[in-house]
Amino acid sequence: MLSSLSLSLSLSLSLSLSVSGGFNIWAITPEERGKHDKQFDSLSPTLGYVSGDQARKFFLQSGLPASVLAEIWALADMGRDGKMDRLEFSIAMKLIKLQLQGQPLPSSLPVIMKQTPVPSMTSSARFGMGSMPNLSVMPAMPMLTPLPLGSSVTSMTSVTSMTSLTSMPAVSNSSSTTSLASNSPKTGACDWAVPQSSRLKYRQQFNSLDKLMSGYLSGPQVRNALTASNLTQTQLATIWTLADVDRDGQLRAEEFILAMHLVDMAKTGHPLPLTLPADLVPPSFSEFSLSVSLTLSLSLSVSFEDKLKENFQRGSMELEKRRLALQEEQREEERRRQKEREEQERREREARELALRRQREEEQRMERQKEMERRREEERLKDLERQEVHLPLERQRRMEWERAKRAELQAQREREQRDIERLTARKRSLELELEAGNKHKQISDCLREAQSKRRVQRAELELINQRRDGRIADINSLQLQFEGVCKSLSLSVSFSGGGVSDMKQSVSEKDLSCRKLKEQLDALERETTAKLCEMERYNRDMKELRERQRQQQAVLEQLSRVKAEKVKELQRRRQEQEERRRREEEEASTVTQSVFHLTSLQHHHCAPLTFQVDESTVREPGWLYGSYGGKSGWFPESYAEKINKDMTDPTAVLTHTTAPPADYSSRKPAATDMHSVSVLITVCAWTANTESHLGFSKDDVITVLEQQENWWYGELGENRGWFPKTHVSMVTTNNFHTDPESGDLTFRAEDVILVTEKEGEWWKGCIGDQSGLFPSNYVKPKDSDVCATYIAQVTAACIATTAEQLSLTPGQLILVLHKNSCGWWLGELQARGKKRQKGWFQSSNIKLLEPNSGKTTPAPPPLCQVIAMYDYKAASEDEMSFLKGQLINVLNKDDSDWWKGELNGVMGLFPTNYVKMTTESDPSQQWCADLHSLDSMSSEERKRQGYIHELIHTEQTYLQDLELVLEVFYKPMAESGRLTEAEMAVIFVNWRELIMCNTKLLKALRVRKKTAGERMPVQVIGDILSSELAHMQAYIRFCSCQLNAAALLQQKTDASPDFKLFLKKIATNYRCKGMPLSSFLLKPMQRITRYPLLIRNILENTPVGHVDQANLREALERAEELCSQVNEGVREKENSDRLEWIQNHVQCEGVIEHLVFNSLTNCLGPRKLLHSGRVWKTKSSKELWAFLFNDFLLLTYTSKQFSSSSDKLFSPKSNTMYKMYKTPVFLNEVLVKMPSDPSSDDPIFHISHIDRVYTLKADSINERTAWVQRIKAASEHFIETEKLKREKAYQARSQKTSGIGRLLVTVQEAVELKPCKPNGKSNPYCELSMGAQCYTSRPQNDTLNPKWNFNCQFFIKDLYQDVLCITIFERDQFSPDDFLGRTEVPVATIKKDQEGKGPLTRRLLLHEVPTGEVRVRLDLQLYEQTPLL
């Protein structure tokens, strides 16, 4: 019994081997051929052929590289005619499919691919479900492919394969069938540890990825599915190793399901096993070999009915499995629909409740409004009664004011009328001058004249500058002499009158000479200005001429391209005519055939091919005309050898050297092997002499297709042709060799390989623990002086596993010869008394030593040195501590806020705002690469521009860090659910508001930079800084809450190791650069402290009298004020906590719905809580809770009590909520009064606000006194601050400034502004500025299209530096005014647009906002400069 069983097993094994050996992957099945024919017909072939362009577009859809598709074309295009018929197209599609499956391309086209496909077994037999007629008509013998002459295949092998194919049941090679069978419930799948739901889900995913229906997935196809799990590369590599059970580098269906199940295990935190457990092994792999052998052995004796029954059972099981899967999907869909219906009902119910609640609230609001209107009417009647007493006096004052105003307007009208008459006369004179001028000159003459004049003017300008410097020096010397004379005159008062008169005469002469020199200096400056204007005009003319020349050049190039296309089309037609004529001559000629043997030079593994040659055909020297496989064509004579009749061994062929043809200009080379293609770079230009030549320019890269002595054939772009090899040189490319075949050696460029065996073109070598074959043309001998050698000391023992490795013991010395990128280094072991060994070792087992010493290599050289300004203690492991005054070596400056440094051998990160540079550096090189522009600037201006661009660059980096915190830390923490929403709000406070503030600042800086030019200096930046720093109130709240955030984060980290591990994991993102969340939370405070330093550096390098100096001073004041406000907010932690408590317990409605208590006020800095407490209304005795801030008074009442009435204000445990009683009372509009009888014991006081009086009662007399005093003090401070602000703006406008002209501006209107209020409206006003000159219009209430018609004028100081800045704000009562957009217009642009046209009206788009534009009227008036005589 055992012997019969072993006999059946051995027989089944032999049958399986014969089946596997008989399958040919290159054969094209009839199904594939039919599919290819349909695709061929879809391309609309012409006369049975598809052109190269049609096939190329279709093949590129496969996603394969162009080089691979070129190889496939070379193999499939058997006729070499540049087009494809049905057979060639089918061969190409089959090769593309095999390439996508990971199969390498053959060196030559297999013969079986050229034959007509014959089905070896039907699809029904493949799945074991055939019928009786199919079995009856099955061929008795398989189709045998014709063998070449001298084949060593014996008939016995054919008979054996035939017997095995006919006697055994067909076993499908498709993995899809295997996977279907393996998924059957009765084949052991119930013992598999993978859940059924996971199998169904991942089976569907496998089918969606297997687009080619190949039954398996390659590595690139699975990569996206695995990397989407966000696991590390080490985990993914382990999962691939475990899932690839058969180690074929591909995943079948069950292997893919196993891989995704392991991914789920890793994501849930389960450790991955080192080896695959038995319960995870797919059923088809655990019993595959035994089941196949038993099936094959049993299949020899079973009947047809048993096979039919077995196939029917398999089909039934498969149908049952699919039915269960469909039922499960239907149940899941029904559950989902039920859940959606419940969710919809819940939303509708909530909407109805919300509508009812809103209706009730609206009714209550209407009642309150009616009550307020009734009271307001009563108050109004009382006021009218009081005003009737003062009405006559008020009427008299108004009449006097109207008379004075009428007289002032009349005078202004007369002045403007005179100005209009003067301007009209000026316009007429300019028009006459313009008509008299001659503007028609030749373009070429203008260009030459402009260039010559430019050179002359530049020389004159330099001469004038020298003369001006000399005159200034003379003036200074004369001034010094004058002062000396005055001093000597004061000392010699007692001398005689003659001496005094001489002295006075000398002084008068010196004074006269000084005035003359000043006049000459002024004349030189005016002349310099005129020359600069003229040079600018010449530059504009030259730019216009160059632009015209460039357009003509583009037209010429287009004509050249059209000509080249026509020439190519003509050549193609000629070639087609010659080809037709040649074919007609061949058909008419008498054919005498000879047999030639062609040796393939493409690959050394290819067998020689036999061609039939027609020697009677008229041929060109070096070429033969023959036929092979039903195809005819030309081939090079040097590639073939004539076969002698007595030659018995067809492989004994001599290899001839390819000689260049004498008529290389009249033909193209045969197809070349893509593996032997080399890349050249041209060393000089060469022009093609004929149509077959290839012309090129210097430094062009050419792909060589054939080499023949001094002439090579290559490809450049889409052109091919012959060229001389003396005009090119080889390109050294960084080859990276990888080969999918086992036993090959993989390496990268610059790696060193230890060669162990040389045999032909493929050598054997090793790198570390890897060894294998590699192509010799991918390497070159290593030079001895390529890299410097190092001495290393062994730190850890290591035992060699191969003969090419070194066994190491601690303390040994190694001479390092080369460092490879894979971590294996090549070295020579230095052992006394022993032979020196050379081999590979791991770099982690050694440490490098300095030459001739035993010390470790020093740290990298420092970039610079900095001095610590303050003490700093490290807050984390990657930071370093230092004391004030210590010198730190800076090693890395990648992060603008945290640098890496070294101090006393300790390396770590430190904040940059704690240190300062030891030497003054010039940062100008970081922003401008134009050396000519840098040379034309002064040293001070270069530093100024460097600091300005440093501010812009660091601002961009800081904003990226803020956004990084949201992406890397905030979102994962919120999604994980480890912290509540309240805890997240404590840690991150108002992080999004910080991003909004700095985004607005960065956008404004970018607009200013874009206006100036990409590589041009920025002249004015202070106005942007002063404007945007006023809106940084979000930092006050964040910094004041930062201590609470740090304390909560530390508490959570200490209490929960899981949370600590979670933070550490998300901080491993490469963008974090190793910094934890706590370091990023410190960046806002660090950035606020850097603003004064950066602005001060810019201001110190700004010359006196610069247009931006006043703005920079104001920006510095605001930056320092913001820092002080932040510091004050941090110090006043109690005030900040109370403001946060009010924010959470007071319900704000109406106009203050979006009020943030812990923020900046409109003009008083940070909001402060001055006093709070309980008061009562005198009449109704209603209990109110009052909160007095430094800008307004808020009255509230208790809305709902969730706890006892003993809750105190500002208690963390208090649940009491408060509602607003009245609209907040602003303190600049309030008047507080004591009662008429101060001695009364009733603690009441009165608060008057415009048309309303509040009579309130305090708890005691002392409490009343405190309320009155604090309201008075806050009101006086508010009024005084507004007064100072108005006086400052008035002084800036009223300063008497002189310049070269003035600019009259009328802001007419704005349209489509950004809405800021909840009702979709805004209260916009306009602010116009030019340097220190600033004007502000009145706000327009509740509109997005304000019509201001606001007039103002600016004095022009510098025509090319002054910029008109128009900014739109929204008036906000409780916070700084919101920004609605900004636009800028350089005065030089206004002058250019206005020349000869008078005042102009422009529509300017607002920047930094999504919508809005402003309409302005501009009138530039330049003063006439009369030269001094």
Side-chain angles (χ1 to χ4, degrees), residues 85 213 216 261 355 548 569 607 619 702 712 722 825 854 862 979 994 1071 1090 1143 1236 1247 1274 1289 1317 1343 1360 1410:
D85 56 8
M213 302 296 291
Y216 55 84
H261 178 68
R548 194 171 302 172
E569 182 67 20
R619 60 186 179 92
I702 301 176
W712 291 356
W722 296 92
W825 292 1
L979 297 178
L994 303 184
R1071 298 168 59 190
R1090 277 185 69 88
Q1143 187 75 47
S1236 56
I1247 299 176
K1317 300 173 66 176
T1343 180
Y1360 299 99

Side-chain angles (χ1 to χ4, degrees), residues 224-238:
N224 294 334
L226 294 180
T227 53
S229 62
N230 295 328
L231 297 179
T232 61
Q233 294 294 332
T234 305
Q235 291 175 315
L236 295 179
T238 305

Side-chain angles (χ1 to χ4, degrees), residues 408-470:
E408 182 181 355
L409 291 176
Q410 185 65 25
Q412 183 179 359
R413 178 184 177 184
E414 293 175 357
R415 289 195 302 270
E416 291 180 352
Q417 188 66 27
R418 289 194 297 269
D419 293 341
I420 290 174
E421 293 175 356
R422 181 176 58 82
L423 291 175
T424 304
R426 175 66 176 167
K427 180 180 179 181
R428 285 197 297 270
S429 63
L430 290 176
E431 289 177 352
L432 293 175
E433 292 177 2
L434 181 62
E435 292 175 358
N438 183 13
K439 299 297 182 180
H440 304 284
K441 295 184 179 181
Q442 295 297 330
I443 295 177
S444 59
D445 295 339
C446 289
L447 180 60
R448 287 193 294 270
E449 184 179 358
Q451 291 176 350
S452 61
K453 285 186 178 181
R454 182 179 179 183
R455 289 191 294 269
V456 173
Q457 294 294 341
R458 183 175 297 173
E460 291 178 358
L461 182 61
E462 294 176 356
L463 181 60
I464 290 172
N465 289 335
Q466 294 176 2
R467 290 167 56 189
R468 184 184 62 182
D469 295 339

Side-chain angles (χ1 to χ4, degrees), residues 185-457:
K186 297 183 179 181
T187 58
C190 58
D191 298 332
W192 200 13
V194 181
Q196 179 66 23
S197 59
S198 300
R199 278 180 259 170
L200 293 176
K201 179 175 69 174
Y202 295 133
R203 177 65 191 191
Q204 294 177 358
Q205 185 177 0
F206 177 85
N207 293 335
S208 64
L209 294 176
D210 188 13
K211 300 182 182 303
L212 299 176
M213 302 296 291
S214 60
Y216 55 84
L217 299 178
S218 62
Q221 291 175 298
V222 185
R223 184 185 297 112
N224 294 334
L226 294 180
T227 53
S229 62
N230 295 328
L231 297 179
T232 61
Q233 294 294 332
T234 305
Q235 291 175 315
L236 295 179
T238 305
I239 290 173
W240 177 273
T241 304
L242 294 173
D244 190 9
V245 180
D246 52 1
R247 298 296 186 270
D248 59 350
Q250 299 169 343
L251 295 185
R252 303 186 182 276
E254 291 185 349
E255 292 176 327
F256 180 77
I257 295 172
L258 175 60
M260 298 308 296
H261 178 68
L262 293 174
V263 169
D264 291 340
M265 291 176 57
K267 290 172 67 175
T268 55
H270 292 81
L272 295 173
L274 297 179
T275 59
L276 192 64
D279 58 345
L280 289 179
V281 176
S284 61
F285 288 96
S286 60
E287 300 178 358
F288 177 78
S289 58
L290 182 59
S291 62
V292 169
S293 60
L294 291 176
T295 302
L296 292 176
S297 61
L298 294 176
S299 62
L300 298 175
S301 59
V302 296
S303 62
F304 171 75
E305 289 79 8
D306 295 333
K307 294 179 183 178
L308 181 62
K309 183 177 181 182
E310 181 182 359
N311 292 336
F312 181 78
Q313 290 177 354
R314 289 181 182 177
S316 300
M317 288 188 293
E318 180 65 22
L319 292 175
E320 180 65 18
K321 183 182 67 173
R322 295 186 181 182
R323 186 182 64 81
L324 293 176
L326 290 175
Q327 290 180 355
E328 181 65 24
E329 291 179 357
Q330 292 175 357
R331 287 194 294 271
E332 185 68 24
E333 181 68 20
E334 184 64 24
R335 287 194 295 270
R336 185 181 62 80
R337 292 178 180 176
Q338 180 67 21
K339 186 175 181 181
E340 289 178 354
R341 286 194 297 271
E342 294 175 355
E343 182 67 19
Q344 182 66 21
E345 293 174 357
R346 183 184 63 80
R347 286 197 295 267
E348 292 176 356
R349 185 171 59 255
E350 291 177 353
R352 288 193 298 270
E353 294 175 356
L354 181 62
L356 291 176
R357 185 165 61 253
R358 287 181 177 176
Q359 183 178 0
R360 289 195 297 270
E361 291 176 355
E362 184 66 17
E363 293 174 356
Q364 295 176 1
R365 189 184 65 78
M366 293 299 294
E367 293 177 359
R368 290 196 301 269
Q369 185 175 359
K370 291 179 181 179
E371 179 66 18
M372 291 172 60
E373 290 176 355
R374 185 182 61 79
R375 295 180 181 178
R376 192 179 297 112
E377 183 66 19
E378 293 176 356
E379 295 291 338
R380 188 180 63 81
L381 293 175
K382 293 180 182 179
D383 291 339
L384 289 177
E385 293 175 359
R386 289 194 298 268
Q387 291 175 2
E388 286 178 358
V389 181
H390 306 285
L391 190 58
L393 184 61
E394 181 67 18
R395 186 181 298 110
Q396 183 178 357
R397 285 198 301 267
R398 176 172 290 277
M399 291 176 64
E400 292 176 357
W401 179 81
E402 288 178 355
R403 283 196 299 269
K405 187 66 176 177
R406 191 179 296 109
E408 182 181 355
L409 291 176
Q410 185 65 25
Q412 183 179 359
R413 178 184 177 184
E414 293 175 357
R415 289 195 302 270
E416 291 180 352
Q417 188 66 27
R418 289 194 297 269
D419 293 341
I420 290 174
E421 293 175 356
R422 181 176 58 82
L423 291 175
T424 304
R426 175 66 176 167
K427 180 180 179 181
R428 285 197 297 270
S429 63
L430 290 176
E431 289 177 352
L432 293 175
E433 292 177 2
L434 181 62
E435 292 175 358
N438 183 13
K439 299 297 182 180
H440 304 284
K441 295 184 179 181
Q442 295 297 330
I443 295 177
S444 59
D445 295 339
C446 289
L447 180 60
R448 287 193 294 270
E449 184 179 358
Q451 291 176 350
S452 61
K453 285 186 178 181
R454 182 179 179 183
R455 289 191 294 269
V456 173
Q457 294 294 341

